[in-house]
Amino acid sequence: MADRFDALVVGAGFAGLRVLQLLRAHGLRAAVLEAASGVGGTWWWNRYPGARCDVESVQYSLQFDPALEQDWDWTERYAAQPEILAYAEHVAERYDLTRDIRFDTRVTSAHWDDAEDLWRLTAEDGAAFEAPICVMATGCLSVPNRPDIAGLEAFEGRILHTGAWPHEAVDFSGLRVGVIGTGSSAVQSIPQIARQAAQVTVFQRTPNFIVPAANRPLSAEERAQAKAGYAALRARQAASPNAIARRGPSGPASAASAEACEAEFARRWEEGGLPFLAAFDDLLLDPDSNAIAAEFVRRRIREIVTDPETAEALCPTDPIGCKRLCVEIGYFEAFNRPNVRLVDLRRAPIESTTAEGLRAGGVDHGFDALVMATGFDAMTGALLRMDVRGRGGRRLADDWAAGPASYLGLGMAGYPNLFTVTGPQSPSVLTNMLASIEQHAEWIAGAAAEMRRRGAARMEVEPEAQAAWTEANSAMAGGTLREACGSWYRGANIPGKSSVYMPYVGGFPAYSKALERATAEGYAGFAFG
């Protein structure tokens, strides 16, 4: 017998928590189904050494309750995983959300019942749930990518993945550790692991553009200033392309002198963080301007890393910004340690796993532990790992075989009453995620209330609206340098995944206007029935 609700939410990260709270406020009886044993989503799973957010703490925070803003104190400019998880747990407790969350409940299927106008969800343990409305708050980075390396099962040491890290402390003291990957989780974890391990060998396929975090503890004065200025900060966030309040660009780099470009990039480097890419407004549009920024970063790498060959191997050659910029604390300096070495997989690709470690380029590397810092099946991974079926039994895996298609990143044609929080073709991972999450949560809860107001059993994306949005999103991405390389934004890190640029690149303000316009026009692009 299935448990019946007015709405079901899959996922208890910040998205699921806020959706649940808002659905309750609109009078719906809702339940959240969560695979983990606690709230927090990505911050529950990603406990690897050095894990922290790359958006400043006071901005990577919920906006809906001024009292929450005043009561919570952030300790660092960039909060570490334990602090962010504690914040999520505080939110769940403060608003009494856990009583409606089913933990240790991994959803494996979601089927629409045409006759009953219901979503029927099944969990891994066989538990069944049903509701007219289903909200997928499954996260953009929630399915670890585990590379298919020949003979991996033969390795006799411990294998860890940064995206599914053990809850107990992992002690690397005196161990030989191999790390596969040089993306964000590797950039954060390698300096920490190197402080413990006897030897760290880093296997790099593609070097990434990495800028310093310039992290520091927040003083009591800085925390007080943040609390006094939250209203103005939120307004600046809403007006920013990536929903991060920062110093604006200094016009186009193409119109600036070489000296002015150098000075501005140096200021941004010292300030630290993702706003480095906001130094000039044409860095993702003009290849020549982009090349100036890219060469600045490469020069800094060569200045920091003492071994010239290692430094050159760490220098990326793609346009800066076509992959996600990484933010580091001591990453490049780690390669100056005598116990850290780099293996360039472009010269010496991994051939197989041995009982002792990895063979790459004909050389055997021995380890006691192997860390997979290989990222995620981003944006669509969580949805496509479920058996999602819509009207007439159509399968989402079939509909998205050539790449995801949606309307506003909120819903898909053929899937009535199914909503996605920060789904593909919304700004999502190109923004401060909490700002985008709150925007979507509020819209979805409002849509559920509108259905009730109209007495509608169904609310579904119109195929024409989906086609137009998908085409516009693709054209917009194609007009920038974001599509100039293979990235997880395009699914390039997953073998066989279709290469479609998934996030909306038009920026948070433009997307907000599109969302507001559709809502003001009676939820244009959606059909009620």
Side-chain angles (χ1 to χ4, degrees), residues 351-510:
E351 297 163 17
S352 64
T353 313
T354 66
E356 293 77 27
L358 292 175
R359 180 173 296 124
V363 177
D364 286 331
H365 302 271
F367 315 118
D368 303 298
L370 185 59
V371 174
M372 302 285 193
T374 48
F376 301 89
D377 184 353
M379 306 291 289
T380 60
L383 287 171
L384 294 181
R385 273 164 174 71
M386 282 184 270
D387 178 20
V388 180
R389 303 190 186 192
R391 278 192 295 104
R394 63 191 297 164
R395 298 174 66 247
L396 188 63
D398 295 333
D399 286 342
W400 282 7
S406 80
Y407 177 51
L408 298 168
L410 282 162
M412 293 78 71
Y415 299 84
N417 305 355
L418 180 68
F419 301 103
T420 53
V421 183
T422 62
Q425 298 174 347
S426 74
S428 61
V429 292
L430 297 183
T431 66
N432 172 0
M433 282 297 296
L434 285 199
S436 286
I437 281 169
E438 283 199 88
Q439 180 185 63
H440 272 197
E442 290 166 7
W443 188 92
I444 290 167
E450 179 69 8
M451 287 177 64
R452 280 198 159 189
R453 188 187 70 80
R454 297 188 185 204
R458 299 186 182 196
M459 179 179 179
E460 184 182 343
V461 169
E462 296 173 335
E464 298 79 10
Q466 175 170 291
W469 184 258
T470 299
E471 182 179 351
N473 196 68
S474 177
M476 198 180 303
T480 73
L481 293 174
R482 290 193 179 277
E483 282 207 318
C485 64
S487 67
W488 60 256
Y489 294 138
R490 298 181 58 167
N493 61 323
I494 306 298
K497 190 168 181 175
S498 57
S499 183
V500 173
Y501 198 86
M502 292 182 281
Y504 171 86
V505 303
F508 190 78

Side-chain angles (χ1 to χ4, degrees), residues 3 10 154 161 240:
D3 290 344
V10 183
H161 196 290
S240 167

Side-chain angles (χ1 to χ4, degrees), residues 106 276 282-283 328 345 390:
R106 182 177 294 279
F276 179 86
D282 61 347
L283 297 185
E328 59 85 28
L345 296 180

Side-chain angles (χ1 to χ4, degrees), residues 135-158:
V135 181
M136 293 295 184
T138 47
C140 297
L141 300 172
S142 56
V143 176
N145 172 34
R146 302 181 186 276
D148 184 15
I149 299 174
L152 194 60
E153 67 282 354
F155 178 57
E156 294 177 353
R158 188 174 188 184

